[in-house]
Amino acid sequence: MNPAKVNSFALPIILTIANLMSSLLIRRIKTLVQAETTPRSIAKGADMAVLPVISNAFLLIEDGKIAAFGPMEGCPDRADRVIDADGKMVFPSWCDSHTHIVFAASREEEFVDRVKGLSYEEIARRGGGILNSARRLQQSSEDDLFESALERLHEVIGYGTGAIEIKSGYGLSLESELKMLRVIRRLKAVSPIPIKATFLGAHAVPAEYKERRNEYIDLIINQMLPAVAAENLAEYCDVFCDRGFYTVEETDRILKAAKTYGLKAKIHANELDYSGGVQVGVANGAISVDHLEYTGDAEIAALQGSDTLPTLLPSCAFFLGIPFGPARKMIDAGLPVVLATDYNPGSSPSGRMSFVVSLACIKMNMLPEEAVNAATLNGARAMELEADYGTIAVGKVANVFISKPIPSLAYLPYSFGSNLVDAVVLQGRVWTPPGNKKS
Ligand code: NIG
Ligand code: FE
């Protein structure tokens, strides 16, 4: 084409096409982690310790997708952009399948109450906890919630997260639950990483419904679920099925109603007790049952006969001082453990997947390889994104992070306080935190 003939309308189109066609080559990678030639859709049991890696590798990305990878001997000699990753490792981005990053305010006053000896449940019984967050959220504007959640989204992307699930559940009224879900919809529209939305109207029973909880459940079923479905605001439906929150029967009712609107189950279970949450989740075909600090033989047996994923949230157990879920027992029973942050203001005010991976090794005796599989491939599966995210495989979306120079894979969970992320690549482009744009 004669450049002189390019008019002002054609130029932006040509530039856009040029951007879309860009290629990125990351070469001289010390270790390319989770590089699969035969992609797995999940890692279960003994297979969780299998983490395919290539030493002294290259990774070629074209049009935002992984195009090729392998040992340096086969490295292409050109690309639009080249990064030399000497001494550094490349990982698929973390897939964080359980968060509550839309919230109005932090809760450090409750943290101090717990330091002084109150338990999470005692604080909740006094009207604190989730109800505290709900009061604050009900008073917040959609715009303010969006801005603060976007900041948290950018924070976790900087830690290496490349796919995320976000829940409602601090609204606890029709209007405020929809407000939260609309914030998530706005996040989806601007996010450089995929977001899955979960409706969690049954997070707690609002104070005004304490003596008539059935009426609140009716409100969820008869008003909230239809409204959520009408606006197509969520992929999943969550219930906090635990002591002092929702019973097995109530959970079953809500999940069955959600299913009629096409919302799959993905629930909070067994954080505070052997609640029956795992079993009712499995019975309702839940994608995942999350928390599971209280998991015994009956829960493991229920999970073994199902496709429901057990998701562990060790930074919540760490922060609340409650037992860690029995990851070892689950893996030894052949289950596919998932790890997620549970980023929220009450029980896990941290969205750092690398810390979760460290805790999984330190507190739950997961091998570094098992923890990485749980935080990438299995996390992707817990959001039904495993076809496009969670490992480095040809055709998958090129969401990866490049580590700082590190001596080994095990150094990542070992060095639990360091931020070892050197660069984040999303859809084949080096991501710059907004506000830090180079001029
Ligand atoms: O996953 N356990 C229930 N829900 C959240 C905590 C909510 C809160 O305390 O604000 C969780 O831990
Ligand atoms: Fe949670």
Side-chain angles (χ1 to χ4, degrees):
M1 188 185 303
N2 178 352
K5 288 207 170 145
V6 174
N7 65 32
S8 59
F9 292 106
L11 193 61
I13 297 169
I14 292 168
L15 287 177
T16 308
I17 292 170
N19 281 343
L20 286 173
M21 299 302 287
S22 63
S23 60
L24 170 69
L25 174 64
I26 311 175
R27 66 184 180 191
R28 303 215 296 259
I29 303 166
K30 178 190 173 86
T31 312
L32 182 63
V33 178
Q34 194 66 303
E36 297 187 311
T37 38
T38 315
R40 300 173 289 176
S41 56
I42 196 165
K44 296 182 182 184
D47 190 39
M48 286 198 67
V50 177
L51 189 69
V53 299
I54 302 174
S55 302
N56 193 24
F58 78 90
L59 173 65
L60 178 68
I61 298 165
E62 283 172 353
D63 309 338
K65 300 267 176 76
I66 292 164
F69 58 81
M72 270 308 287
E73 295 79 68
C75 184
D77 52 11
R78 59 193 322 180
D80 297 330
R81 178 159 184 200
V82 177
I83 296 177
D84 287 319
D86 301 67
K88 302 172 180 180
M89 298 177 60
V90 172
F91 292 78
S93 296
W94 305 124
C95 294
D96 190 352
S97 62
H98 182 138
T99 82
H100 310 245
I101 64 168
V102 179
F103 58 85
S106 57
R107 302 217 307 259
E108 66 275 14
E109 65 294 338
E110 294 179 1
F111 165 70
V112 176
D113 287 342
R114 284 196 302 101
V115 170
K116 290 179 182 163
L118 280 184
S119 73
Y120 180 78
E121 287 179 271
E122 281 162 340
I123 291 168
R125 277 198 295 272
R126 292 172 178 207
I130 296 165
L131 296 184
N132 178 3
S133 281
R135 280 190 297 274
R136 309 285 279 270
L137 186 130
Q138 285 161 5
Q139 291 156 8
S140 300
S141 72
E142 190 181 305
D143 285 349
D144 286 350
L145 291 169
F146 171 73
E147 290 304 329
S148 62
L150 185 62
E151 216 168 282
R152 288 178 203 114
L153 181 67
H154 290 152
E155 177 200 4
V156 302
I157 289 172
Y159 297 152
T161 295
I164 195 167
E165 181 261 15
I166 309 174
K167 300 174 194 296
S168 69
Y170 291 129
L172 306 187
S173 70
L174 173 63
E175 181 197 2
S176 294
E177 282 297 309
L178 292 177
K179 179 167 68 175
M180 282 191 86
L181 290 167
R182 290 181 188 130
V183 168
I184 300 172
R185 180 170 63 191
R186 281 172 68 181
L187 293 171
K188 284 186 181 188
V190 300
S191 173
I193 67 171
I195 295 176
K196 290 284 178 123
T198 300
F199 166 61
L200 176 52
H203 199 188
V205 177
E208 62 273 28
Y209 285 94
K210 201 170 168 200
E211 306 306 330
R212 46 192 184 105
R213 47 190 296 131
N214 272 335
E215 287 180 34
Y216 182 65
I217 297 167
D218 289 344
L219 178 76
I220 292 176
I221 293 175
N222 299 328
Q223 294 191 43
M224 294 190 194
L225 278 171
V228 170
E231 281 189 55
N232 200 13
L233 287 170
E235 280 87 26
Y236 304 116
C237 179
D238 199 336
V239 178
F240 187 8
C241 182
D242 226 321
R243 184 173 70 198
F245 290 85
Y246 286 84
T247 66
V248 164
E249 293 71 27
E250 292 166 345
T251 304
D252 190 54
R253 232 188 112 200
I254 296 166
L255 296 184
K256 288 202 162 48
K259 195 173 176 192
T260 65
Y261 291 100
L263 297 185
K264 296 183 187 172
K266 190 165 169 55
I267 70 167
H268 284 70
N270 297 44
E271 174 185 359
L272 307 170
D273 204 352
Y274 296 95
S275 65
V278 171
Q279 289 87 335
V280 73
V282 167
N284 280 281
I287 297 285
S288 69
V289 284
D290 302 17
H291 272 290
L292 312 195
E293 286 83 358
Y294 289 87
T295 299
D297 293 341
E299 285 77 14
I300 288 182
L303 287 162
Q304 276 175 322
S306 79
D307 289 329
T308 300
L309 304 176
T311 300
L312 300 176
L313 310 168
S315 51
C316 168
F318 168 79
F319 187 72
L320 295 185
I322 60 176
F324 286 82
R328 216 32 298 137
K329 220 174 147 180
M330 291 175 176
I331 296 171
D332 294 345
L335 296 179
V337 169
V338 181
L339 289 169
T341 63
D342 198 16
Y343 192 177
N344 77 77
S347 69
S348 180
S350 162
R352 264 180 110 117
M353 281 296 280
S354 59
F355 182 56
V356 165
V357 167
S358 291
L359 285 174
C361 298
I362 299 163
K363 293 294 195 181
M364 306 196 299
N365 295 99
M366 287 175 73
L367 295 168
E369 291 82 359
E370 292 171 333
V372 170
N373 269 314
T376 56
L377 175 58
N378 287 359
R381 170 82 171 198
M383 296 183 275
E384 299 177 286
L385 289 173
E386 75 280 7
D388 291 311
Y389 299 87
T391 68
I392 291 173
V394 170
K396 284 199 179 187
V397 177
N399 284 11
V400 306
F401 68 87
I402 305 173
S403 76
K404 293 182 178 151
I406 53 176
S408 65
L409 177 83
Y411 188 83
L412 189 87
Y414 156 87
S415 184
F416 70 90
S418 307
N419 180 9
L420 296 173
V421 175
D422 190 45
V424 168
V425 173
L426 298 178
Q427 295 176 60
R429 289 157 172 271
V430 177
W431 180 78
T432 323
N436 284 6
K437 294 255 183 275
K438 289 188 193 101
S439 52

